[in-house]
Amino acid sequence: MTKSKKEIAARVPMPNQPPDVRRNNFEEVALGYTKEMAIEEAKRCLQCKKPKCVKGCPVEVPIPDFISHLAKGDVEKAYAVIKSTNSLPAVCGRVCPQEIQCEGACILNAKEQPVAIGRLERYVADEYMYMDACDLISAKPECPFIDPERKVACIGSGPSSLTVAGYLASRGCKVTVFEALHEVGGVLVYGIPEFRLPKEKIVAKEVGALKELEVEFVTNYVGGKTFNIKELFDQGYKAVFIGVGAGLPRFLRIPGENFIGVFSANEYLTRVNLGRAYDFPNYDTPIIRGRKVTVYGGGNVAMDAARTAQRLGAESVHIVYRRTADAMPARHEEIEHAVEEGIHLECLANPIEFRGDEKGNLTSVLLQRMELGEPDASGRRSPKPVEGDTYELETDLAVIAVGTNPNPVLLENEPDLKLNKWGYIEVDEATGETSIPNTYAGGDIVTGAATVILAMGAGRRAAKEIARRFGIEE
Amino acid sequence: MANTILKKEQLIPGQTSKLVIDAPHIAAKAKPGNFVILRVCEKGERIPLTIADTDPENGTITIVYLVLGKSTALLEELNEGDDILDLCGPLGKATHIHKGGTVICVGGGTGIAAMHHIAKGHHEAGNHVVAIIGARNKDLLLFEKELKSFCPEVLISTDDGSYGRKGLVTELLKERLEQDKSVIEVVAVGPVPMMAAVSKTTEPFGVPTTVSLNSIMVDGVGMCGACRVTVGGKTKFACVDGPEFDGHQVDFMELRQRLAAFSSMEKESYEHHCRCKCNDKK
């Protein structure tokens, strides 16, 4: 068969709020495709026989399949296909790093821009979010029969647990999700800001779809404190999934870190997102609105914190990073958005001391200028201090986003749970099972801080194994 | 999990109240030293309160609070039969209780209620518990009767001398330590200056001193570090590493400053009181 080289159209751009408008509000930045845009973009997909994109997706969404329905304008079928493996498509379409996952694997990368799989997933999910969940999840006319004997407990209500819940509930298991905070969603509600992931419109809706499958959510219940794993088995749960996240924030361990105005990114973002402190005093949780803000770290959390500070009215926001901008682990798109919004990247700088006034308020930070050294064995040029070159930057709000450590609350109280040398839970690679039989774990409490979609992949792996032992699958 | 208020008692009208709350899951697990985080209404903030007592058989916990700002004012608006929207616990490490002698438990202001639970734990473990409690005046003194029910000695001081000894709790404590060499531990719960003063008083005697710190908290489960304090030169999270620490190691000055971090906003919020639709949650 001769095949003339097909001209591939350019990727359909995503409409965004203009930077000078969005930097003053908490509304979503990316506005989403229209139906016409989505269909046009869907038609760029080559419908590969052996699609690489699916392998690039941690929850293996049948990507060409949903895109082909979408290209024909059948959004409902497209949604059913996505939902067959992904419990949170509206979330994933927004926050996944597609460039290193599905889109990174797209065959079009060789010559052109890859298919905008994330944007298409988002379009489909948003369109069908409001339909009856049971119709769509299973693509059957009614909800599956939930067997009250097949009881599964999830500890934590972040992306990994929600994936377990969605997978098992759609296969007839009775799932209860225990959450320590007062709102369900884990990092989706306390971490990722409203302008990237709307809470009422998206997160609450995805959770609502799980409730229709009789998933029960119990808030204000703390694993290791209010209850322990053994008690769950005593209550008749047949399997337990631990998805409690990484939690405990890391600090810089430099002088002055406890001045007023120095926050962990977790605290800063939890106050603003979970506490809705951006709407203080209509909401009661307060937040310090910095005038000169500095953020430490180069990941997505740093971008989120910096962009949040900008929206809370900062005069200037500097992201302080000890390497160069191209080495930042944040998604390229997030860095771009941050810069468009007026955020400064203060690269090759390392904080060495916070300074404050006599009342304990932060006033400035002392930075050490860095330079790139000779390439090391791995070929990477690591930063080293430029001797004697320090400078002071005025700052009244510092947000530290340099990662997290495993949260001890559950782990300390479950001595039978085997941990690895970094203090995270050790699991069987293939099944996600921990050292306690029928107890699984996944997400950041196993891997350390990673991405939403990797946590979902881990949830799916454990859910599959639970389903297999119930005799539901294979 | 309705968190229904079964009993409300105004200990000091308009200022301090005691609530007995139906919370069997917390009552079953709570130990002296633990606290809860609660949220009164949809737009409310999360605030920590120490568990002053528990009754596991009846499935209740007791909390005592001082009306200090908006959130405690909202709590004060609730009556018997009302539910607390969110109640989470028991949180924090339990008091480390070892048996073997006399323990002096010092309480100041609302802290007496929190101290009461710790004193009770020491009593139940078989220790001889001496309670020293203080307030500005007679009318502001809490939990005297409750403490007398199990403490062989309850020493009282008031700032104005309207009841008990005139002066500060630290004076009573100092005298006691001078007379009594059998004291194995001093526990102090109350305002930061009082806990600092107690720690300073016990230091020359070399008596181990435990303080229960009331730093600002958000989640209460170790996620954020809002409650961080410096203890022995190291940063600790009061919600998971504490709230009880060695009083001789705590940087009280820093704690005091950090507690004032949001004072202007707290005032603003109180003045904005109350758009919070507490009764809309039906």
Side-chain angles (χ1 to χ4, degrees), chain A residues 132-454:
Chain A
D132 177 58
C134 305
D135 284 353
L136 295 161
I137 287 165
S138 54
K140 279 183 214 145
E142 72 249 350
C143 280
F145 169 73
I146 304 290
D147 181 350
E149 289 300 306
R150 286 181 171 153
K151 275 173 78 173
V152 177
C154 296
I155 309 178
S157 69
S160 65
S161 281
L162 294 182
T163 301
V164 173
Y167 187 97
L168 292 174
S170 65
R171 286 159 180 82
C173 300
K174 175 68 193 156
V175 183
T176 308
V177 178
F178 296 95
E179 167 57 47
L181 296 177
H182 60 261
E183 199 170 320
V184 170
V187 73
L188 308 178
V189 296
Y190 75 73
I192 302 173
E194 183 76 15
F195 57 82
R196 281 217 288 140
L197 183 65
K199 309 296 161 230
E200 306 295 327
K201 199 178 98 193
I202 303 300
V203 182
K205 285 276 167 16
E206 301 258 48
V207 168
L210 294 172
K211 286 182 182 164
E212 291 200 34
L213 287 169
E214 294 182 39
V215 174
E216 186 189 0
F217 290 93
V218 182
T219 50
N220 301 309
Y221 253 57
V222 188
K225 293 284 181 191
T226 318
F227 67 98
N228 61 40
I229 293 170
K230 187 184 170 295
E231 286 164 346
L232 293 175
F233 285 109
D234 291 345
Q235 287 164 27
Y237 288 96
K238 305 284 194 301
V240 174
F241 177 80
I242 304 168
V244 296
L248 217 69
R250 279 189 204 143
F251 284 89
L252 296 165
R253 296 169 177 270
I254 60 173
E257 204 153 35
N258 293 344
F259 278 128
I260 297 166
V262 182
F263 290 88
S264 73
N266 271 9
E267 179 184 357
Y268 185 70
L269 292 172
T270 300
R271 285 181 177 275
V272 178
N273 298 329
L274 180 74
R276 274 66 164 177
Y278 57 83
D279 196 12
F280 178 90
N282 288 319
Y283 282 80
D284 296 344
T285 304
I287 187 71
I288 292 173
R289 288 172 185 247
R291 200 165 53 78
K292 305 259 184 196
V293 179
T294 48
V295 177
Y296 303 84
N300 289 321
V301 178
M303 300 302 141
D304 286 345
R307 298 173 70 195
T308 296
Q310 181 74 67
R311 283 159 173 76
L312 287 171
E315 276 170 29
S316 69
V317 182
H318 285 79
I319 293 179
V320 178
Y321 187 58
R322 68 194 183 102
R323 298 174 182 271
T324 48
D326 56 333
M328 283 185 173
R331 290 186 67 192
H332 198 75
E333 190 188 5
E334 302 304 326
I335 300 173
E336 218 167 74
H337 279 162
V339 171
E340 282 171 8
E341 287 163 16
I343 286 156
H344 308 275
L345 303 182
E346 189 77 8
C347 293
L348 290 169
N350 205 27
I352 49 180
E353 185 188 341
F354 288 116
R355 294 176 173 173
D357 62 19
E358 71 288 348
K359 284 182 174 165
N361 294 302
L362 175 70
T363 53
S364 71
V365 60
L366 188 65
L367 300 174
Q368 166 72 59
R369 189 104 50 195
M370 309 292 279
E371 63 183 351
L372 290 181
E374 292 303 309
D376 61 13
S378 67
R380 185 168 152 130
R381 298 177 67 191
S382 54
K384 59 177 184 113
V386 182
E387 276 320 312
D389 193 353
T390 61
Y391 61 109
E392 208 170 335
L393 198 62
E394 193 191 336
T395 181
D396 57 348
L397 176 70
V399 183
I400 298 164
V402 294
T404 51
N405 287 327
N407 190 319
V409 174
L410 178 93
L411 306 182
E412 275 177 4
N413 293 292
E414 298 289 354
D416 293 341
L417 212 49
K418 203 170 158 202
L419 307 181
N420 65 22
K421 63 178 167 177
W422 298 281
Y424 295 101
I425 299 177
E426 195 167 287
V427 298
D428 181 296
E429 279 293 321
T431 62
E433 193 172 20
T434 67
S435 53
I436 303 174
N438 295 312
T439 301
Y440 304 77
D444 289 1
I445 195 61
V446 172
T447 55
T451 60
V452 166
I453 189 67
L454 286 176

Side-chain angles (χ1 to χ4, degrees), chain A residues 1 19 45 53 97 100 126 145 218 246 389 401 408 432 466:
Chain A
M1 187 169 81
C45 175
C53 53
I100 56 164
D126 284 4
F145 169 73
V218 182
D389 193 353
I466 294 169

Side-chain angles (χ1 to χ4, degrees), chain B residues 5-84:
Chain B
I5 297 169
L6 301 179
K7 199 163 160 256
K8 178 175 180 176
E9 192 184 332
Q10 288 198 318
L11 302 178
I12 305 166
Q15 189 182 317
T16 305
S17 290
K18 177 174 114 174
L19 301 179
V20 178
I21 305 163
D22 180 37
H25 53 291
I26 300 176
K29 293 280 170 89
K31 300 224 161 51
N34 287 145
F35 66 94
V36 291
I37 292 257
L38 61 81
R39 206 168 68 115
V40 182
C41 57
E42 269 311 327
K43 293 187 173 180
E45 62 179 337
R46 299 168 66 89
I47 57 166
L49 287 167
T50 307
I51 298 170
D53 206 355
T54 63
D55 183 344
E57 261 170 50
N58 290 310
T60 65
I61 62 164
T62 300
I63 56 170
V64 174
Y65 56 90
L66 176 67
V67 179
L68 206 60
K70 180 172 175 183
S71 294
T72 41
L74 288 171
L75 191 57
E76 182 65 4
E77 283 174 16
L78 299 183
N79 292 306
E80 287 178 6
D82 289 341
D83 297 340
I84 292 171

Side-chain angles (χ1 to χ4, degrees), chain B residues 72-140:
Chain B
T72 41
L74 288 171
L75 191 57
E76 182 65 4
E77 283 174 16
L78 299 183
N79 292 306
E80 287 178 6
D82 289 341
D83 297 340
I84 292 171
L85 179 61
D86 295 300
L87 183 67
C88 176
L91 301 173
K93 283 202 164 61
T95 307
H96 179 68
I97 293 176
H98 53 280
K99 195 189 159 192
T102 300
V103 174
I104 301 179
C105 294
V106 189
T110 318
I112 301 172
M115 180 276 267
H116 160 265
H117 200 206
I118 299 169
K120 201 171 163 187
H122 277 289
H123 163 72
E124 282 166 3
N127 288 324
H128 179 85
V129 180
V130 177
I132 301 180
I133 55 176
R136 283 208 311 281
N137 64 55
K138 184 178 189 292
D139 298 334
L140 302 178

